[in-house]
Amino acid sequence: MPAILFAFSSASSVGTLPLNMECTQKLGASKEVSSFVLPLGATINMDGTAIYQGVCAIFIAACYGIQLTLPQMLTIVLTATLASIGTAGVPGAGMVMLAMVLTSVGLPVDGIALVAGVDRIFDMGRTTVNITGDACCSLIVSNLEKKKSA
């Protein structure tokens, strides 16, 4: 819970990393696993960001009255997933990547203005999803390692 609250208030996956490591170790993850999985997850595992970018792209298309085709939707999913891997774990980085997702399917980048006002609130939720997923992965891998060595 301390890592989740810090992530929610700071909106930074990387800033939450030390506290997330401490919390996962208290929950039973080994130090070796958490010190590998959590930094890796803070860098490339941005599930909340990928979901947000997909939803925003569809929302912006609907606001502009643009009907998306199935190939465009698949492109959004693919681009959002790839963009989330490269997104920095700092507040506001998802907005920059959203421009790339919108451009990939020909949606107007001006549509970012529709979500810019509430992005900070969404960013807090995205960060919470991201670090919780990292912590869960750390605990699962640690438990699998314990079972394997037993």
Side-chain angles (χ1 to χ4, degrees), residues 3 20-21 28-29 31 39 43 46 59 65 80 86 88 95 100 107 127 131:
N20 203 11
M21 290 176 78
K31 184 174 181 167
T43 306
M46 302 290 185
F59 171 75
M95 291 294 282
M100 182 180 72
L107 292 173
T127 304
I131 68 112

Side-chain angles (χ1 to χ4, degrees), residues 29 33 133-147:
V33 171
D134 298 343
C136 289
C137 183
S138 177
L139 291 167
I140 290 169
V141 170
S142 186
N143 283 329
L144 288 173
E145 284 294 313
K146 286 176 187 173
K147 285 182 182 177

Side-chain angles (χ1 to χ4, degrees), residues 10-32:
S10 71
S12 172
S13 299
V14 175
T16 309
L17 187 56
L19 187 56
N20 203 11
M21 290 176 78
E22 182 182 315
C23 289
T24 55
Q25 289 170 16
K26 284 182 183 175
L27 289 172
S30 70
K31 184 174 181 167
E32 293 81 15

Side-chain angles (χ1 to χ4, degrees), residues 31 70 98-99 115:
K31 184 174 181 167
L70 182 62
L98 181 57
V115 294

